Amino acid sequence: MTEKFVFLRRPVSLASRVTWLVSIAMMLVLLIFSWVSVRSLDRHFAEMDEEELGVIASSVIRALIKVHDGGDTQALRRAVRGHHGVYYYIADAAGKTLYTPKDGPDLERFAASGRPVDLADAREMTIWEENGVHYRGAVVRVDGDDGLGNDVYTLAVAIDIEGHLAFIKSFKRIQWWTIYVVMCIAVLVAWFAVRWGHAPIRRANEKIRAITSSKLHLRLNPKDVPIELEETIASFNDMLGRIADGFEQLTNFSADIAHELRTPVTNLTTQTEVALGQSRSAEEYREILYSNLEEFERLNRMINDMLFLAKTENDLDHLNLESVDLEDTSRGLFEYFEAWVEERGVSLELLARVAPIRADREMLRRALSNLLSNAIRYTPSGETVTVRLSQDGKSTTISVENPGKKIPTEDLPRIFNRFYRADPSRQKKGEGAGLGLAIVKSIVEAHGGNVHVDSDERMTRFHISLPHSGA
């Protein structure tokens, strides 16, 4: 069996990225500058050589005119007097050599193989090496237009460029050393700059490490960091606030659980101790067991409610969505509560005309059941609990209204909290553990909706808004 191992490479550090990016950019800039400098220098030397060769060619032509006119026959030898490292060769139309240098390059062979060019264009000149020496030269045709009658001559001129090449080589070496030194300085400066730039991050990290569960109230000041990190610090503070709220809710939830569980456990313990205190009849034991059974049922409902809350809050991706007819669901709940509403002397009314929606049928039924039971419990005898269903292009609204005592304004924001009761005196055996509205909120939010409540002296209304979706 072949096993495949996946090696996860750690991302390159920001300091390394910035340092190498700056270094590569500096290197490219310096290399381009070096190339341009060498090209410019080489071009400058070529233009100097072209100018020098042009002067030599003019001197040779003037000397050739003197020879042609029968003048000084030594004029060709004196044509380049005073010029160092310059050579020329001249032959007539028949190929007879009129003058060739005693030393230097073999210009006769160069003239035979070279193509006549215009000395005014340095790019037309030829560079070659001979006996370890580099030369730049050109072949020129001299005809009657230069004052030589109908005669045509071949003129080859050359100049020793070893000095220029040596200078360029030395220049390149200096440039490479300069690039190396500048690159080292650039890398060090970039590294120190990044370290300096990351100093606010390190200070922020130190403050973050100091934040513990007992110091969740601490916040970082966005003004203490560069503007690039201001949004990050603000987001961290927001996250810290959410963590603090969640931690506080968890702490309160743990305390509420302990408080809610203590009452039934205390009742069970007390009743059991009383039962064991003396011998009793079978009927008395049966009554005690029935009483204990009620407490066990209360504990069971509380545990189931807490498990249901955990499921709806942490398993939102597994809703069993299907087509749900809210009118049928509401009427089914009316039938379920029929005996209770008759006992309490209240009535139920449904005002609806809506299309089916996509939702988790059982979860939505539980949310509506919790709102209805809550409304029935606090509706005075002879009054009516109304369920209104409405729909528009964006959402479906479910409203459960009941007349009764006004919920205090300060209690409205907390009424959907776990174990919260606006009136603690209403905690009676069998009336639940204060998780019903928390379950409603959790179910509605799991469907992407929201729930809110408003209350006045005459009526309390719970409104569920669910995103509209065709069935």
Side-chain angles (χ1 to χ4, degrees):
M1 180 177 179
T2 304
E3 295 184 357
K4 296 183 179 179
F5 297 94
V6 179
F7 297 94
L8 299 178
R9 290 185 57 191
R10 184 176 182 177
V12 180
S13 69
L14 294 178
S16 298
R17 294 183 187 185
V18 175
T19 300
W20 284 111
L21 182 61
V22 170
S23 301
I24 292 173
M26 287 289 296
M27 178 179 288
L28 290 176
V29 170
L30 291 173
L31 288 176
I32 293 173
F33 176 76
S34 175
W35 181 81
V36 172
S37 300
V38 172
R39 291 283 297 176
S40 299
L41 187 60
D42 185 65
R43 178 68 178 173
H44 173 69
F45 284 141
E47 290 175 352
M48 289 178 57
D49 294 341
E50 179 268 330
E51 183 178 355
E52 181 76 7
L53 292 176
V55 171
I56 296 303
S58 298
S59 299
V60 171
I61 292 173
R62 286 194 298 270
L64 188 60
I65 291 173
K66 292 179 181 181
V67 173
H68 182 270
D69 293 341
D72 188 359
T73 57
Q74 299 297 318
L76 290 176
R77 296 183 181 276
R78 297 193 301 269
V80 294
R81 185 176 295 174
H83 295 275
H84 177 71
V86 177
Y87 310 92
Y88 77 94
Y89 163 85
I90 190 166
D92 59 18
K96 179 182 177 182
T97 300
L98 301 180
Y99 178 83
T100 187
K102 295 181 180 180
D103 54 4
D106 186 356
L107 293 180
E108 183 177 358
R109 184 177 61 181
F110 174 65
S113 60
R115 180 177 61 86
V117 299
D118 183 2
L119 279 178
D121 191 348
R123 292 173 299 179
E124 296 282 349
M125 291 187 291
T126 303
I127 297 176
W128 76 95
E129 180 183 2
E130 191 173 320
N131 298 324
V133 180
H134 289 82
Y135 299 94
R136 177 181 278 116
V139 178
V140 183
R141 295 297 186 202
V142 182
D143 52 28
D145 293 339
D146 296 300
L148 297 173
N150 294 325
D151 295 331
V152 177
Y153 297 88
T154 299
L155 172 64
V157 291
I159 186 171
D160 184 345
I161 61 172
E162 280 298 317
H164 295 171
L165 296 179
F167 181 85
I168 293 176
K169 184 177 180 180
S170 176
F171 181 76
K172 288 182 178 179
R173 184 168 59 252
I174 292 173
Q175 279 199 325
W176 279 112
W177 276 106
T178 302
I179 291 175
Y180 174 76
V181 172
V182 171
M183 283 299 302
C184 291
I185 295 174
V187 170
L188 289 175
V189 171
W191 185 81
F192 278 112
V194 173
R195 290 284 299 174
W196 176 72
H198 287 176
I201 299 179
R202 291 194 294 274
R203 290 194 295 268
N205 288 339
E206 292 176 0
K207 294 180 180 179
I208 291 173
R209 280 194 293 269
I211 297 176
T212 61
S213 59
S214 61
K215 298 180 180 179
L216 292 177
H217 63 281
L218 297 179
R219 297 292 183 272
L220 302 183
N221 187 357
K223 302 300 181 183
D224 290 342
V225 297
I227 191 171
E228 294 83 0
L229 298 176
E230 186 172 349
E231 186 175 349
T232 300
I233 295 301
S235 299
F236 174 80
N237 287 338
D238 291 342
M239 180 191 69
L240 199 61
R242 293 193 296 271
I243 292 175
D245 292 341
F247 191 80
E248 182 180 2
Q249 290 179 4
L250 181 61
T251 302
N252 295 337
F253 184 52
S254 300
D256 290 337
I257 290 176
H259 175 75
E260 294 295 332
L261 292 178
R262 182 177 60 184
T263 300
V265 171
T266 299
N267 291 341
L268 288 170
T269 302
T270 301
Q271 290 175 174
T272 303
E273 289 176 347
V274 170
L276 296 174
Q278 61 183 14
S279 298
R280 300 179 183 276
S281 65
E283 185 63 28
E284 290 175 326
Y285 281 123
R286 186 178 293 105
E287 291 180 2
I288 292 174
L289 289 176
Y290 275 125
S291 178
N292 287 350
L293 180 60
E294 291 180 0
E295 297 296 340
F296 282 124
E297 289 176 347
R298 181 180 177 188
L299 282 172
N300 185 57
R301 285 195 302 271
M302 189 185 306
I303 293 171
N304 288 336
D305 286 345
M306 288 188 291
L307 289 175
F308 186 83
L309 273 174
K311 177 184 177 181
T312 55
E313 291 180 353
N314 300 311
D315 195 20
L316 304 183
D317 295 331
H318 294 84
L319 295 178
N320 184 25
L321 298 179
E322 58 182 313
S323 178
V324 178
D325 189 320
L326 294 176
E327 297 182 36
D328 290 345
T329 301
S330 299
R331 291 192 181 93
L333 289 173
F334 284 7
E335 294 177 2
Y336 176 78
F337 289 115
E338 184 177 2
W340 189 25
V341 297
E342 289 180 358
E343 178 185 347
R344 293 189 58 83
V346 301
S347 59
L348 300 175
E349 181 182 15
L350 175 63
L351 302 177
R353 191 176 183 84
V354 296
I357 64 172
R358 288 191 63 78
D360 188 305
R361 183 186 303 275
E362 294 304 319
M363 291 180 68
L364 193 56
R365 178 183 173 85
R366 179 158 188 173
L368 290 175
S369 174
N370 286 357
L371 290 181
L372 275 174
S373 64
N374 188 72
I376 294 169
R377 181 177 295 113
Y378 300 122
T379 298
S381 178
E383 299 289 348
T384 300
V385 175
T386 304
V387 176
R388 299 179 186 271
L389 305 178
S390 61
Q391 216 168 44
D392 56 28
K394 296 181 179 180
S395 63
T396 299
T397 302
I398 306 170
S399 299
V400 178
E401 307 172 357
N402 70 281
K405 184 178 178 181
K406 176 184 178 181
I407 300 175
T409 304
E410 62 272 14
D411 290 328
L412 292 179
R414 296 175 290 175
I415 200 169
F416 293 100
N417 292 351
R418 300 173 182 179
F419 300 112
Y420 183 79
R421 295 183 181 85
D423 185 0
S425 64
R426 290 175 175 172
Q427 181 180 355
K428 299 177 182 178
K429 184 181 296 186
E431 288 195 1
L435 293 173
L437 294 181
I439 290 175
V440 171
K441 180 182 179 182
S442 181
I443 291 174
V444 172
E445 290 181 347
H447 283 79
N450 61 80
V451 59
H452 67 279
V453 59
D454 58 75
S455 183
D456 54 34
E457 300 294 341
R458 192 180 66 86
M459 190 78 66
T460 295
R461 304 174 184 86
F462 286 86
H463 306 282
I464 293 176
S465 180
L466 298 173
H468 177 66
S469 176

